[in-house]
């Protein structure tokens, strides 16, 4: 009973979030709904026993891809009411119909192929331990290369957001370190109890 209720909860929120990704007028809101959809899809994968796919959705898609989308949307500052976007609507609808047809074909073929999988080997398909052993032994070099690619992508996103703007003061560490202390400090020897007169 609890399994069915969780499935209904995750699937309902996932469908609602997927609709809001398309229907949201603000791009930042669309990315946030996309993150919500990924999280609920990860919950569905956990219910199916696919722990690895759930962790990939959380770590890679939510933690890297969706956050990168959010950085890019906020950096580009996309106008919300651009009349030139309406002329691309027929092309967008055609691409959406093509993607829907592809997804429907893939779901139909998967439903037929899944019935042919023997029940004894089904529990080995989503073994997190087996995938971990393969990733950290046989494919360790490829796994590290993927990590380096993601690191380079993250550094590139940071560099793009740190562009210099006119009229904004920035800290120059080299200029601060190279500055002569005698230009900014004045050493005095006031008498005891005399104090120091500060000229303004």
């Amino acid at each position: 009973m609890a399994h069915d209720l969780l499935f209904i909860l995750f699937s309902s929120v996932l469908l609602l979030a997927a609709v809001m990704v398309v229907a949201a007028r603000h791009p930042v809101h669309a990315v946030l709904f996309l993150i919500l959809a990924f999280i609920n899809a990860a919950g569905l994968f956990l219910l199916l026993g696919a722990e690895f796919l759930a962790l990939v959705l959380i770590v890679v898609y939510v933690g890297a891809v969706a956050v990168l989308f959010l950085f890019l949307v906020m950096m580009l500052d996309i106008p919300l009411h651009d009349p030139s976007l309406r002329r691309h609507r027929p092309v967008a609808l055609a691409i959406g119909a093509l993607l829907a047809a592809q997804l429907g074909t893939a779901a139909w073929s998967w439903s037929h192929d899944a019935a042919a999988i023997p029940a004894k080997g089904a529990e080995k398909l989503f073994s997190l331990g087996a995938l971990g052993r393969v990733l950290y032994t046989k494919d360790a070099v490829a796994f590290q290369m993927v990590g380096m690619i993601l690191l380079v992508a993250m550094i590139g996103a940071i560099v793009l957001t740190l562009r210099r703007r006119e009229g904004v003061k920035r800290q120059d560490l080299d200029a601060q370190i190279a500055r002569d202390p005698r230009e900014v400090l004045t050493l005095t020897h006031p008498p005891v109890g005399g104090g120091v007169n500060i000229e303004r």
Side-chain angles (χ1 to χ4, degrees):
M1 185 65 181
H3 187 278
D4 296 337
L5 290 177
L6 287 174
F7 177 79
I8 294 173
L9 175 63
F10 285 137
S11 59
S12 301
V13 177
L14 175 60
L15 291 174
L16 179 61
V19 171
M20 291 304 298
V21 169
V22 182
R25 299 185 64 86
H26 201 288
V28 176
H29 297 164
V31 176
L32 293 176
F33 280 117
L34 181 64
I35 294 174
L36 180 62
F38 283 151
I39 293 174
N40 285 276
L44 290 176
F45 280 129
L46 283 177
L47 292 178
L48 293 174
E51 300 91 356
F52 178 73
L53 294 178
L55 292 176
V56 165
L57 272 177
I58 295 296
V59 176
V60 177
Y61 283 88
V62 175
V65 177
V67 175
L68 183 61
F69 285 169
L70 191 60
F71 266 110
L72 290 176
V73 167
M74 295 175 68
M75 184 182 67
L76 294 176
D77 194 15
I78 302 173
L80 298 181
H81 303 285
D82 191 355
S84 63
L85 295 177
R86 295 180 180 177
R87 62 184 179 186
H88 301 295
R89 186 173 297 175
V91 179
L93 291 175
I95 294 175
L98 179 62
L99 289 176
Q102 290 178 343
L103 288 174
T105 305
W108 179 80
S109 62
W110 177 82
S111 63
H112 283 71
D113 294 339
I117 298 176
K120 294 183 179 179
E123 68 274 4
K124 297 181 180 179
L125 293 177
F126 302 112
S127 176
L128 189 59
L131 287 171
R133 283 192 295 271
V134 172
L135 284 178
Y136 289 104
T137 55
K138 182 180 178 181
D139 297 329
V141 177
F143 185 74
Q144 295 298 325
M145 289 177 64
V146 170
M148 290 300 297
I149 292 172
L150 290 175
L151 177 63
V152 170
M154 181 184 68
I155 294 174
I158 294 173
V159 170
L160 287 175
T161 56
L162 289 179
R163 63 183 184 274
R164 294 184 178 273
R165 297 180 178 89
E166 297 294 334
V168 178
K169 293 183 178 180
R170 298 179 63 89
Q171 185 179 13
D172 193 350
L173 295 177
D174 295 332
Q176 291 178 352
I177 295 173
R179 194 171 185 181
D180 190 359
R182 290 175 293 184
E183 297 178 357
V184 294
L185 295 176
T186 302
L187 299 179
T188 60
H189 300 282
V192 177
V196 179
N197 293 325
I198 301 176
E199 296 181 0
R200 294 183 180 273

